[in-house]
């Protein structure tokens, strides 16, 4: 079987050969070849013009048939045209499916370009935040979601976490916004309605606060009577032990109620003040002094590597230190050690409490800041623990834009580090007692 190329080249060579032969017969071989070449050129030109006319009229007539190169070009052309049609059709169908499925999503989805301008959005984005699918195309997204916290989130460029903002179209609505970068500097903004979740959590907070508040007065009365009875010399001896137990339990309940009230206050309190300056080194030294001389506790050391101060609530930071230090002492044997450090660098500051105590199994670490979570409830209760201390620490740190990082190894101790951002570090630095205290 001859290939098309062989046929075309062979045909043209044959034509030139025939021209040369006829030219030779007439004594002018060169004229013969030239005439044959002109015939070939003319034929090809005619075919080209026919093909071009067929392309514009879409009427291919005789080009459809035969075995010439032009017929082959025609069949290749129609094959490719049909493939394009087919792909275009399936692409349209796919696009329709994608559009249908994104419109069926309960969460809002908005595609943004590298300048945070809206490329497209789904129906839920319209319903949740008032995005208009056509009119808002090309607008910067923070022109629609005008919350300052959202603008700050966009500018920060750190999208590892989501933020909650008020809905721009409902006074009581709340939206959870998360940006997911993808492709060549494009972003997908996902919006979720968290109004109901926030309402339920506010209800729970209110209930806990009210219940704790209501328990406070009867507990004070009970504790008062128990204290009076414990001091009463007329109370028979057989009652001394039960009375002591009742006093201990009443004291424990008072602590639980106080901690629950503190948690409720922290949850509804917003950001910690920035105009108050906290002397962390001073608080660490005071905490160390408060346990100095106590029998049966591990050695406490303070390593103050920076004299920088913190913007926040002094009372709350003191509570963080006391909570973490008393935990460290509770879970560290007498011959162990607890070291509290304060250091600053270009990224922020770190307050760390490190102990050489019992440590924590890795599976428990992520749950430590949950309310009432205790690794060993029995032991913790015996030690006077309620399981609210670390939850309070977490909330205080959140109020200070800080994070708690816990590292621990069973049998080798734990490290509780509080990371504060630069924005919380005061520029006021005093040259004074920096170093080991
Ligand atoms: P608690 O009042 O029981 O100490 P926390 O919320 O302060 O409650 O701590 C929760 C649990 O975390 C504790 O019950 C304990 O099991 C564990 N824990 C906290 N700090 C330490 C520590 N330094 N070493 C070992 N375990 C710890």
């Amino acid at each position: 079987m001859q290939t098309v190329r062989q046929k075309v080249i062979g045909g043209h060579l044959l034509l030139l050969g025939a021209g040369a032969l006829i030219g030779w017969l007439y004594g002018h071989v060169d004229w013969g070849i030239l005439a044959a070449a002109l015939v070939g050129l003319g034929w090809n030109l005619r075919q080209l013009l026919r093909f071009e006319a067929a392309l514009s009229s879409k009427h291919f007539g005789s080009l459809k048939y035969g075995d010439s190169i032009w017929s082959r070009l025609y069949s290749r052309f129609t094959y490719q045209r049909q493939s394009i049609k087919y792909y275009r059709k399936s692409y349209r169908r796919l696009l329709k499916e994608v559009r249908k499925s994104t419109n069926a999503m309960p969460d809002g989805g908005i595609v943004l370009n590298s300048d945070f301008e809206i490329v497209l959005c789904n129906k839920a984005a319209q319903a949740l935040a008032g995005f208009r699918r056509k009119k808002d195309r090309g607008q910067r997204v923070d022109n629609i979601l005008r919350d300052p916290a959202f603008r700050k989130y966009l500018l920060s460029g750190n999208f590892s976490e989501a933020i909650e903002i008020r809905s721009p179209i409902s006074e009581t609505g709340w939206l959870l916004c998360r940006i997911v970068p993808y492709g060549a500097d494009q972003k997908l903004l996902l919006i979720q309605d968290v109004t109901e979740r926030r309402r339920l959590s506010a209800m729970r907070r209110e209930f806990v606060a009210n219940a704790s508040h209501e328990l406070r007065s009867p507990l004070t009365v009970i504790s008062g009577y128990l204290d009076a009875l414990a001091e009463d010399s007329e109370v028979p001896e057989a009652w001394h032990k039960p009375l002591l137990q009742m006093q201990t339990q009443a004291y424990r309940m008072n602590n639980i109620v106080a901690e629950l009230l503190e948690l409720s206050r922290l949850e509804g309190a917003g950001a910690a003040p920035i105009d108050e300056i906290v002397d962390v080194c001073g608080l660490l030294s005071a905490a160390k002094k408060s346990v100095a001389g106590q029998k049966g506790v591990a050695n406490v050391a303070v390593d103050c590597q920076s004299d920088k101060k913190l913007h926040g609530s002094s009372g709350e930071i003191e509570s963080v230190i006391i909570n973490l230090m008393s935990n460290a002492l509770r879970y560290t044997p007498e011959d162990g050690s607890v070291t509290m450090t304060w250091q600053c660098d270009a990224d922020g500051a770190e307050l760390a409490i490190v102990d050489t105590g019992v440590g924590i199994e890795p599976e428990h670490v992520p749950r430590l800041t949950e309310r009432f979570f205790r690794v060993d409830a029995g032991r913790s209760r015996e030690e006077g623990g309620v399981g609210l201390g670390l939850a309070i620490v977490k909330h205080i740190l959140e109020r200070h834009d800080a994070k708690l990082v816990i590292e621990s190894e069973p049998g080798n101790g734990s490290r509780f580090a509080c990371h504060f951002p630069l924005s919380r570090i005061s520029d006021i630095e005093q040259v004074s007692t920096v170093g080991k205290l």
Side-chain angles (χ1 to χ4, degrees):
M1 268 289 271
Q2 277 185 318
T3 62
V4 181
R5 180 195 288 223
Q6 283 168 339
K7 260 188 187 175
V8 170
I9 295 173
H12 281 80
L13 284 178
L14 211 66
L15 182 67
L16 290 178
L21 187 68
I22 294 169
W24 177 70
L25 286 176
Y26 288 95
H28 288 286
V29 177
D30 44 356
W31 282 104
I33 293 175
L34 187 66
L38 282 175
V39 169
L41 189 67
W43 185 80
N44 277 313
L45 206 61
R46 190 166 160 258
Q47 294 295 330
L48 188 66
L49 291 174
R50 271 181 71 200
F51 194 78
E52 201 279 329
L55 278 185
S56 32
S57 66
K58 293 198 177 111
H59 184 75
F60 286 86
S62 60
L63 276 174
K64 282 185 192 169
Y65 312 104
D67 202 18
S68 73
I69 187 157
W70 295 102
S71 302
R72 279 173 178 265
L73 273 179
Y74 161 73
S75 48
R76 202 167 277 182
F77 169 79
T78 45
Y79 171 75
Q80 293 205 337
R81 204 168 58 156
Q82 270 162 9
S83 317
I84 289 171
K85 253 191 202 165
Y86 170 78
Y87 286 125
R88 201 178 283 164
K89 216 169 161 184
S90 45
Y91 169 75
R92 270 205 209 109
R93 204 179 306 134
L94 194 70
L95 205 67
K96 226 172 167 179
E97 285 302 315
V98 171
R99 213 169 266 163
K100 260 201 235 163
S101 57
T102 51
N103 280 339
M105 264 167 51
D107 296 341
I110 299 118
V111 175
L112 305 173
N113 65 15
S114 53
D115 296 324
F116 298 111
E117 288 163 353
I118 300 161
V119 178
L120 52 102
C121 66
N122 69 352
K123 264 192 182 155
Q126 250 173 313
L128 290 175
F131 283 89
R132 291 163 306 174
R133 298 179 84 177
K134 286 192 181 141
K135 283 191 182 160
D136 289 340
R137 199 171 286 167
Q139 286 245 42
R140 254 186 80 103
V141 67
D142 46 354
N143 283 342
I144 316 290
L145 300 176
R146 289 169 171 268
D147 194 302
F150 181 73
R151 194 158 285 169
K152 205 170 149 197
Y153 177 62
L154 282 193
L155 293 178
S156 76
N158 176 10
F159 306 126
S160 55
E161 276 171 27
I163 63 155
E164 286 186 9
I165 58 165
R166 281 194 177 279
S167 161
I169 55 166
S170 150
E171 265 181 33
T172 50
W174 279 88
L175 303 174
L176 179 81
C177 301
R178 174 186 289 279
I179 287 188
V180 187
Y182 74 96
D185 207 15
Q186 275 170 300
K187 280 136 198 129
L188 182 65
L189 167 64
L190 296 171
I191 300 181
Q192 201 182 352
D193 186 0
V194 288
T195 314
E196 188 57 11
R197 203 200 67 202
R198 280 187 78 103
R199 195 182 65 81
L200 288 175
S201 120
M203 256 172 71
R204 176 190 49 81
R205 228 172 26 234
E206 223 168 275
F207 171 78
V208 173
N210 288 342
S212 313
H213 198 75
E214 290 304 320
L215 282 172
R216 215 178 187 178
S217 316
L219 263 173
T220 314
V221 176
I222 294 170
S223 300
Y225 276 117
L226 286 174
D227 290 347
L229 281 171
E231 280 166 20
D232 191 341
S233 53
E234 286 176 23
V235 172
E237 173 116 28
W239 278 96
H240 286 183
K241 203 173 162 203
L243 267 176
L244 189 68
Q245 277 176 350
M246 281 191 269
Q247 260 184 313
T248 314
Q249 291 307 321
Y251 176 74
R252 199 173 118 76
M253 277 176 80
N254 264 320
N255 272 351
I256 297 177
V257 167
E259 289 194 341
L260 282 174
L261 280 170
E262 174 65 356
L263 258 179
S264 298
R265 183 191 71 79
L266 288 170
E267 279 184 322
I274 50 160
D275 47 352
E276 198 182 322
I277 302 290
V278 185
D279 176 9
V280 182
C281 279
L283 292 177
L284 288 178
S285 317
K288 180 187 155 144
K289 269 189 205 135
S290 71
V291 290
Q294 266 185 31
K295 287 223 166 74
V297 296
N299 175 51
V300 178
V302 173
D303 183 7
C304 206
Q305 296 175 12
S306 164
D307 206 23
K308 286 222 165 148
K309 308 283 186 281
L310 199 69
H311 290 290
S313 155
S314 198
E316 289 180 14
I317 298 299
E318 184 180 11
S319 168
V320 167
I321 294 172
I322 298 292
N323 260 306
L324 294 179
M325 185 187 73
S326 51
N327 271 352
L329 289 174
R330 201 179 285 165
Y331 299 102
T332 304
E334 202 179 332
D335 57 353
S337 69
V338 173
T339 310
M340 305 196 280
T341 56
W342 171 244
Q343 53 188 327
C344 295
D345 61 21
D347 297 328
E350 186 195 71
L351 164 65
I353 281 89
V354 185
D355 65 61
T356 58
V358 296
I360 307 155
E361 300 286 340
E363 69 267 27
H364 297 311
V365 173
R367 298 197 57 197
L368 291 180
T369 53
E370 284 176 21
R371 287 151 194 254
F372 295 109
F373 178 81
R374 284 159 297 180
V375 173
D376 179 349
R379 175 176 172 180
S380 174
R381 200 176 297 117
E382 266 171 40
E383 309 261 7
V386 174
L388 289 172
L390 290 179
I392 291 178
V393 166
K394 185 184 129 188
H395 277 92
I396 292 179
L397 293 180
E398 270 173 12
R399 250 166 69 69
H400 287 79
D401 313 312
K403 278 202 174 77
L404 179 66
V405 178
I406 306 170
E407 289 162 340
S408 189
E409 211 180 294
N412 277 333
S414 313
R415 185 174 199 274
F416 288 76
C418 315
H419 293 281
F420 294 90
L422 264 188
S423 55
R424 282 276 169 186
I425 310 304
S426 168
D427 287 333
I428 310 159
E429 188 165 8
Q430 289 168 8
V431 184
S432 64
T433 55
V434 179
K436 295 221 177 216
L437 297 169

